[in-house]
Amino acid sequence: MHQSELATQYRKQYGDDMPTLKLARIMYKENTSSFKDLDGARKALRYIEGKLGIKNLKRVKNREFIKEGERPKNPYKLPESDESDYKPFKLTAKRLLLLSDIHIPYHSIEALTATFDYAKKEKPDAILLNGDTLDFFGLSKFCKDPRKRNFAEELKSFKELIAVIQKLFPNSNLYFKNGNHEERYLHFLFMKAKELVGVEEFELENIIKARANGITIIGDKRIIHANGLNIIHGHEFATSFFSPVNVARGLFLRGKTSAIQGHNHQSSEHTESDMNGKITTTWSTGCLSELHPEYMPINKWNHGFAIINMDGKEFEVVNKRIYKGKVL
């Protein structure tokens, strides 16, 4: 296949939003016999996009990826950048079930049972596993108890949980957001098995999808937009924040917009209005894991989850606590 035809095929597959250099890396990796080097793959993409000068622009027959009349993104021919393309993930649903911090295999059967009993009546059309669904205990950098479950056993338990969720909510779209515990996997590869980084079979996204058919993965610390509500796991900020009141107030001070997070294993809510009367509310959700782990038996954690109703451009957060197996 001609290089320009190959570039056209990949651009159609991955869409206009993927940066050219990132797409070139993928294309070159999968077609090393077609391109001399990475730069050759990048030039093929730039050719079909009409970015190799006026002379080459006139030769491009398929002008599907040429944006006529638009100023070049790099008019001064600055060196190619590895800048990441950070964009929010748009989640569309009418009723979303938000589950944070399950920490398989240290999940609370009692709390999950109470959650599912309640959620079945709500009939969500989407479910978001909002980070730290898996604990990745065996891959952490901390001192590890060898008696605990290993990585393979965690994945087996995860697969079993997904099977339960899909049986209980067969009409719900399932989303999986990476939290700081999921990031342990990539950090482990970087430190212990860097030769496997980039190998398709060892990418976390593919490991998860192999055990959860039809699931959508949300990575790269991306903010989720849901009808004006911003959803994060809680580890997205570069540094932790201090809030003498509660987690939700700390989220407000950092985000300054309506948002909800997990991560801190505490249910809380904070509301403020500006001088024009506009109300901004932030929430934090409880966890669905054990409340008194060995590394922190004394804490302020509680079990909980959230239901987010989305109608038109509005949203309503129902932030539920669980105490002794009962939804409050």
Side-chain angles (χ1 to χ4, degrees), residues 95-101 111 115-116 118-119 122 124 126-130 229 231-232 259-262 266-269 283-288 302-310 315-322 327-328:
R95 178 164 293 158
L96 174 68
L97 172 61
L98 182 70
L99 311 175
S100 291
D101 302 285
T115 299
F116 293 155
Y118 184 95
E122 297 294 312
I127 299 173
L128 172 62
L129 302 175
N130 191 34
L229 178 67
I231 304 174
I232 61 174
I260 187 168
Q261 73 159 82
Q266 298 176 47
S267 300
S268 64
E269 178 179 330
W283 296 264
S284 66
T285 60
C287 65
L288 293 165
N302 68 272
H303 289 140
F305 63 94
I307 297 285
I308 303 171
N309 297 308
M310 292 179 271
F315 66 85
E316 175 196 29
V317 174
V318 181
N319 195 16
K320 306 300 291 186
R321 293 173 173 82
I322 299 172
V327 177
L328 305 179

Side-chain angles (χ1 to χ4, degrees), residues 65-254:
F65 304 108
I66 297 176
K67 298 179 180 179
E68 304 288 354
E70 185 178 276
R71 187 188 188 203
K73 292 185 178 180
N74 190 6
Y76 300 111
K77 300 186 184 304
L78 296 170
E80 200 71 33
S81 172
D82 285 342
E83 177 185 15
S84 59
D85 187 25
Y86 183 77
K87 292 183 179 179
F89 179 90
K90 186 175 181 180
L91 195 157
T92 303
K94 292 183 178 179
R95 178 164 293 158
L96 174 68
L97 172 61
L98 182 70
L99 311 175
S100 291
D101 302 285
I102 299 175
H103 288 274
I104 293 172
Y106 307 109
H107 51 287
S108 169
I109 292 177
E110 183 179 64
L112 283 170
T113 300
T115 299
F116 293 155
D117 283 345
Y118 184 95
K120 282 194 299 181
K121 301 172 186 176
E122 297 294 312
K123 298 180 180 179
D125 60 331
I127 299 173
L128 172 62
L129 302 175
N130 191 34
D132 290 3
T133 302
L134 288 135
D135 191 81
F136 288 100
F137 173 82
L139 304 186
S140 72
K141 64 182 179 181
F142 304 106
C143 181
K144 294 176 281 290
D145 185 341
R147 296 169 295 180
K148 299 289 187 179
R149 293 198 209 180
N150 60 32
F151 181 47
E153 290 172 323
E154 283 194 29
L155 292 177
K156 181 177 181 293
S157 295
F158 169 73
K159 183 177 180 179
E160 292 171 353
L161 174 66
I162 294 298
V164 171
I165 291 174
Q166 292 182 328
K167 182 178 180 180
L168 291 173
F169 308 98
N171 300 316
S172 298
N173 294 321
L174 191 56
Y175 299 87
F176 182 102
K177 179 172 170 59
N178 289 338
N180 52 293
H181 278 252
E182 279 80 18
E183 290 179 355
R184 286 178 173 179
Y185 176 78
L186 187 59
H187 297 163
F188 176 84
L189 288 186
F190 286 165
M191 293 186 292
K192 304 289 187 178
K194 59 181 181 296
E195 294 82 4
L196 300 179
V197 175
V199 177
E200 187 174 333
E201 291 81 359
F202 292 95
E203 291 181 358
L204 180 59
E205 178 174 339
N206 294 324
I207 291 174
I208 296 299
K209 286 184 175 180
R211 291 157 178 81
N213 185 41
I215 199 168
T216 299
I217 310 296
I218 306 171
D220 302 323
K221 292 187 173 70
R222 294 174 70 186
I223 299 171
I224 299 171
H225 284 177
N227 275 35
L229 178 67
N230 296 274
I231 304 174
I232 61 174
H233 171 64
H235 73 306
E236 289 81 357
F237 296 107
T239 56
S240 61
F241 54 79
F242 170 73
S243 176
V245 181
N246 56 44
V247 177
R249 183 173 185 273
L251 177 58
F252 174 83
L253 293 175
R254 296 296 295 270

